[in-house]
Amino acid sequence: DASDNVPGVPGIGEKTAISLIQEYGTLESIYEHVSEIKGKKRQETLRENRDKAFLSRELVTLATDVAIDLSDGFTKMRPADVEGLRTFFAEMEFRQFAAELPQKTKTQNSSNEVRYETVSTIPRLIEILDQIRQKGFCAVDTETTSLDTLGARIVGLSLTVEENQGWYIPIGHRDGNNIPRQEAFPLLRDVLESASIGKTGHNLKYDFHILANEGIALKGICDDTLIASYLTQPIRESRKLDDLVGKELGMSMTPITDLIGTGPNQKCMADVDIERVSSYACEDTDAAWRLRKILNPKITELDMEYLYRQIEMPLLTVLATMERKGIGVDLHILERQSCELAKEMESLEQGIYQSVGREFNLNSPSQMAQILYDDLQILRGRKRSTRADILEKLAEEGVPIARQILDFRHRQKIKSTYLDALQKLIRPETGRVHTTYHQAVVNTGRISSSDPNLQNIPIRTDLGRRVRSAFIASDGYVLVSLDYSQIELRILAHISNDPGLQKAFSSGEDIHSRTAAEIFGTALSDVTPDMRRKAKEINFGLNYGMSPYGLAQRLSISDAEATSYIKTYFARYPLVHTYMDETVAFAQENLYVNTVLQRRIPTPGVRDANRLRQENARRAAINARIQGSAADLMKKALVDVFEELRAKPEQASILLTVHDELVLEVREDRVDEICDCCRKRMEEALPFSVPTPVEIAIGHSWAELK
């Protein structure tokens, strides 16, 4: 068994080994008669690997002569250290093993007994809300009918103001003593909408949506343990509350599946007994309260108070508001484009069949490989891959079928991933698509989106731009794009403090032309388009830690020429090279890099024993500081622009954030005013040593913004 370092004899598998043992009886006998074994190659293999054969037998033979002291009750069963196991399983993230341990009772969570209460009368609710006002801070969590953020309704709400304590307010259970919505919500609104009463919880963006569905605008959000966990531990397999609590507090929580079950028989929370939900819900707010006390000191210790308080926490409300707003999509445009692509795909399909001389399944990798490797023999190799990069190379070499296959695949992806999928994601009640934004997923701090991923629609292809034409402004409004110009290069100039780069940006020069002039030793006015193109590849490539080989491949030049370009570049911008060396050295010592706002981005691979993986991790570390700082800037810009527009919701609102760009929907008669104030906010979001100009585009569809 090679996986257990038992080498065996290469080429002698289980069946052959069994037949040899059956025929000759022992390993020694096999080697005594090795010349009689059929097959010269097998004889040679056995002879060459004789030592491995006997070593393998030794490795798998149990030792029966080990001295074992059986005194002092060695053979007696001792009680298991359940809490020690619980802590170990939490550290190792063995969630299934942890679930099999005896569950903690409520009194095991702390030295004090928990006080979880179901609130069943209005007078008692009033008393509780008065306590929250006096405290000025509370944890909050909602129990709901579903996970649909825009459609779910409240089943109940849990609150707490101290450890070991919690109140559950049942509102939407189908059976039991609920507090009527029309009586509960006015009382709750006074506290939940108060910005002077701080709120904490876990994944409060979800609770923001649920409360908004009930007409309550959650304000005063001060802490979110999901986001605090993300900042203090950017790389984690899970940020679920029960996993975090198990890891940080060694505390087991009741799984939601204990209440609602799983699979087709899963129940709605509204159908679960109030007292069972009460205990579960109070445990959630209690856990979030406890976790906050663990994570907040870490935020302070890591010097991320400003990032957490002034950017990430306000951003939660910004992203939730954007999600609720959504963006208009013209269903008819999507349907028409889908039909057009279907016809184009059919035409391409027939063209491919004609080139091959027969029909086959274009979506079958094995059949595609048979065509390209066997029938047409335009590819060779044992792996028989039909990856896009392999086909791209063939297409560049002028192989027609490669371009046809790529065009077919591109249309197929656009049709299925966007044109058809988007039609199903338009909410009937709004006529708009509502993406979900994630601020605590990407370890560089970048915001991502899903359901649908609106950050991934291709923009450099005609088909991608056609999809964007279906995203439209409401009547009387236009879409406005505010896009940071060359922001990563500007951040590189700021972080590296290189005077040459800073001068080029501060004087308003085209950075790619300036770099071309420096590298090719010519006047700025004599830079040709080809020189500028090469300089652009160098600027962006080195930003990602590109090697001479990578640059040579990108520009289709020799390694020597690429090396010469890079040497000249660093001679002109020496502090860029210093920045790269210092960043890698810091990452190797600390296993992380810092952004301009002290966000920590882990870089564990820089110490990898594998040289290739280590080099990749070094390049990633160089870029991570820049990418992460760009994320800091973009998040701050979102918060500032949102604050600018807060008082004028009828005039403008933020719809999308895509990489370094914001997309707004603005009333047509307020475009100039809104663009000026938002551009100013974005350009002044963070104090960089070089300008961070914002480019503006206006149109009635997203496609018109580029």
Side-chain angles (χ1 to χ4, degrees):
D1 186 350
S3 65
D4 278 339
N5 289 320
V6 179
V9 175
I12 304 295
E14 183 177 350
K15 290 183 179 179
T16 304
I18 289 172
S19 66
L20 289 173
I21 291 294
Q22 287 176 339
E23 184 172 354
Y24 297 104
T26 65
L27 190 58
E28 287 81 0
S29 180
I30 289 173
Y31 274 95
E32 288 171 6
H33 300 86
V34 69
S35 58
E36 302 172 10
I37 294 172
K38 294 179 181 178
K40 287 187 177 180
K41 187 173 181 181
R42 184 171 293 171
Q43 293 177 15
E44 291 174 7
T45 299
L46 285 165
R47 290 191 181 101
E48 290 172 1
N49 293 278
R50 188 181 190 281
D51 291 344
K52 286 184 179 180
F54 283 92
L55 172 63
S56 297
R57 185 176 68 175
E58 182 181 349
L59 290 172
V60 299
T61 301
L62 296 179
T64 58
D65 56 351
V66 178
I68 300 176
D69 183 4
L70 301 180
S71 61
D72 298 326
F74 178 84
T75 58
K76 291 183 179 179
M77 291 289 289
R78 289 168 290 176
D81 179 4
V82 175
E83 294 311 309
L85 272 176
R86 198 186 312 280
T87 301
F88 176 75
F89 289 161
E91 289 175 355
M92 297 295 104
E93 298 187 358
F94 293 163
R95 284 186 287 277
Q96 184 60 46
F97 290 162
E100 293 171 4
L101 292 175
Q103 293 296 304
K104 282 187 176 183
T105 63
K106 291 177 183 176
T107 55
Q108 284 178 301
N109 286 336
S110 173
S111 57
N112 303 314
E113 185 165 349
V114 296
R115 304 179 307 283
Y116 294 166
E117 175 187 350
T118 303
V119 182
S120 55
T121 67
I122 289 294
R124 180 56 181 148
L125 177 59
I126 291 172
E127 290 177 2
I128 287 165
L129 296 177
D130 283 341
Q131 288 186 51
I132 292 174
R133 289 187 190 92
Q134 291 172 17
K135 185 82 171 183
F137 198 88
C138 69
V140 59
D141 183 53
T142 57
E143 302 305 328
T144 64
T145 55
S146 74
L147 295 177
D148 176 11
T149 54
L150 298 183
R153 304 300 300 272
I154 285 184
V155 172
L157 185 81
S158 57
L159 301 164
T160 191
V161 293
E162 61 183 79
E163 190 172 315
N164 298 315
Q165 178 260 347
W167 300 292
Y168 180 66
I169 301 106
I171 293 170
H173 289 265
R174 293 196 172 92
D175 295 310
N177 189 17
N178 290 296
I179 294 182
R181 290 172 185 268
Q182 65 273 19
E183 296 181 47
F185 286 154
L187 297 171
L188 289 167
R189 182 177 289 110
D190 184 62
V191 166
L192 296 175
E193 291 191 346
S194 172
S196 62
I197 299 175
K199 316 298 188 308
T200 189
H202 189 80
N203 191 18
L204 282 176
K205 182 155 72 72
Y206 175 78
D207 302 291
F208 180 100
H209 279 300
I210 301 306
L211 290 167
N213 293 346
E214 306 289 355
I216 298 174
L218 183 62
K219 296 177 184 175
I221 298 173
C222 296
D223 284 294
D224 190 312
T225 50
L226 183 146
I227 296 171
S229 160
Y230 166 67
L231 291 181
T232 56
Q233 296 177 306
I235 299 178
R236 273 195 71 93
E237 182 180 341
S238 168
R239 297 197 191 281
K240 291 168 58 180
L241 180 60
D242 50 357
D243 290 331
L244 291 176
V245 166
K247 175 78 171 179
E248 300 292 342
L249 302 171
M251 171 179 156
S252 291
M253 298 179 65
T254 304
I256 191 171
T257 52
D258 283 6
L259 278 71
I260 63 174
T262 59
N265 296 321
Q266 189 176 82
K267 294 192 292 187
C268 173
M269 191 67 86
D271 294 320
V272 181
D273 177 73
I274 286 178
E275 288 305 320
R276 292 188 68 202
V277 177
S278 177
S279 176
Y280 170 84
C282 289
E283 188 180 57
D284 274 1
T285 45
D286 188 11
W289 185 274
R290 296 163 184 266
L291 196 56
R292 167 181 169 271
K293 292 166 67 176
I294 297 290
L295 296 177
N296 279 7
K298 292 183 180 180
I299 293 284
T300 304
E301 179 187 338
L302 298 175
D303 194 22
M304 287 193 283
E305 280 285 335
Y306 178 83
L307 177 64
Y308 182 52
R309 302 287 175 200
Q310 303 302 318
I311 296 180
E312 295 288 0
M313 291 316 303
L315 183 65
L316 185 154
T317 299
V318 177
L319 296 179
T321 305
M322 290 166 60
E323 290 172 1
R324 297 192 72 78
K325 181 70 177 179
I327 184 170
V329 179
D330 190 320
L331 175 61
H332 301 299
I333 292 177
L334 293 176
E335 290 173 337
R336 187 184 71 243
Q337 289 187 9
S338 182
C339 291
E340 290 171 354
L341 282 196
K343 291 178 182 177
E344 292 175 22
M345 287 167 59
E346 185 178 355
S347 176
L348 283 165
E349 194 172 18
Q350 293 306 315
I352 292 169
Y353 294 158
Q354 288 177 10
S355 300
V356 173
R358 66 181 177 87
E359 293 188 4
F360 64 99
N361 184 356
L362 278 167
N363 295 313
S364 167
S366 60
Q367 291 187 35
M368 179 71 73
Q370 184 178 349
I371 295 294
L372 299 177
Y373 285 84
D374 300 333
D375 296 4
L376 300 181
Q377 296 186 357
I378 57 177
L379 284 174
R380 292 180 177 81
R382 295 176 61 188
K383 292 187 177 180
R384 297 171 66 84
S385 174
T386 60
R387 294 194 321 265
D389 59 326
I390 294 174
L391 295 177
E392 286 284 2
K393 191 171 182 181
L394 284 178
E396 290 172 6
E397 294 170 358
V399 179
I401 191 174
R403 175 49 54 197
Q404 289 174 310
I405 293 169
L406 288 168
D407 288 347
F408 177 87
R409 285 180 177 178
H410 184 45
R411 281 159 175 75
Q412 187 179 53
K413 180 179 179 180
I414 293 289
K415 184 178 184 302
S416 62
T417 306
Y418 300 109
L419 297 176
D420 295 343
L422 283 170
Q423 294 178 44
K424 301 172 185 175
L425 293 173
I426 299 173
R427 292 191 78 96
E429 62 269 29
T430 65
R432 300 166 82 87
V433 165
H434 302 261
T435 188
T436 298
Y437 285 109
H438 308 281
Q439 70 182 103
V441 172
V442 183
N443 69 350
T444 59
R446 287 281 192 183
I447 298 168
S448 60
S449 86
S450 64
D451 304 315
N453 180 358
L454 295 182
Q455 299 185 336
N456 208 31
I457 299 176
I459 186 56
R460 293 177 180 165
T461 66
D462 177 61
L463 288 179
R465 287 187 289 273
R466 282 163 63 182
V467 173
R468 290 189 175 207
S469 68
F471 292 81
I472 56 173
S474 304
D475 291 342
Y477 289 77
V478 291
L479 298 182
V480 173
S481 164
L482 297 108
D483 195 356
Y484 279 114
S485 172
Q486 300 172 335
I487 194 59
E488 291 183 8
L489 289 175
R490 294 174 186 275
I491 289 173
L492 174 62
H494 170 79
I495 294 178
S496 69
N497 260 325
D498 187 272
L501 273 185
Q502 291 185 342
K503 181 181 177 183
F505 281 122
S506 297
S507 62
E509 292 178 340
D510 176 79
I511 188 61
H512 303 314
S513 296
R514 165 51 59 192
T515 300
E518 297 285 356
I519 288 176
F520 296 106
T522 186
L524 198 61
S525 57
D526 294 332
V527 171
T528 65
D530 185 59
M531 289 178 181
R532 186 184 183 279
R533 179 184 66 84
K534 290 179 177 177
K536 184 176 180 180
E537 291 288 355
I538 294 169
N539 276 329
F540 284 115
L542 294 181
N543 202 10
Y544 286 85
M546 184 184 288
S547 65
Y549 173 78
L551 181 62
Q553 294 296 303
R554 189 76 69 90
L555 294 178
S556 299
I557 58 178
S558 68
D559 289 0
E561 192 175 359
T563 300
S564 174
Y565 286 163
I566 291 175
K567 282 184 179 178
T568 306
Y569 178 94
F570 286 137
R572 298 294 187 270
Y573 305 124
L575 291 190
V576 173
H577 197 280
T578 302
Y579 154 75
M580 292 178 173
D581 288 344
E582 290 178 348
T583 297
V584 169
F586 183 91
Q588 286 180 318
E589 181 178 351
N590 299 283
L591 295 180
Y592 70 87
V593 294
N594 276 333
T595 68
V596 292
L597 293 184
Q598 302 308 310
R599 183 189 306 278
R600 289 195 176 192
I601 304 173
T603 58
V606 293
R607 292 184 187 172
D608 199 296
N610 180 283
R611 185 175 177 181
L612 178 61
R613 288 196 293 267
Q614 185 183 113
E615 286 299 320
N616 288 338
R618 287 182 174 189
R619 285 193 287 272
I622 291 169
N623 183 247
R625 286 188 70 191
I626 299 167
Q627 283 269 334
S629 297
D632 292 349
L633 173 64
M634 198 64 204
K635 286 182 170 179
K636 180 63 161 55
L638 266 166
V639 171
D640 288 355
V641 170
F642 181 80
E643 188 61 34
E644 180 71 34
L645 301 178
R646 186 191 290 271
K648 27 195 163 185
E650 300 304 317
Q651 295 182 21
S653 52
I654 309 173
L655 303 188
L656 303 174
T657 172
V658 182
H659 307 307
D660 304 321
E661 171 191 18
L662 296 186
V663 177
L664 278 57
E665 188 170 53
V666 182
R667 218 168 75 185
E668 287 188 276
D669 60 349
R670 290 287 186 270
V671 169
D672 293 341
E673 170 196 343
I674 297 295
C675 286
D676 286 345
C677 65
C678 290
R679 187 211 301 262
K680 188 172 187 295
R681 284 282 201 159
M682 289 180 70
E683 291 180 347
E684 297 176 357
L686 290 177
F688 286 117
S689 57
V690 296
T692 53
V694 170
E695 297 175 348
I696 294 177
I698 302 168
H700 286 91
S701 76
W702 195 5
E704 295 175 17
L705 302 184
K706 290 293 182 182

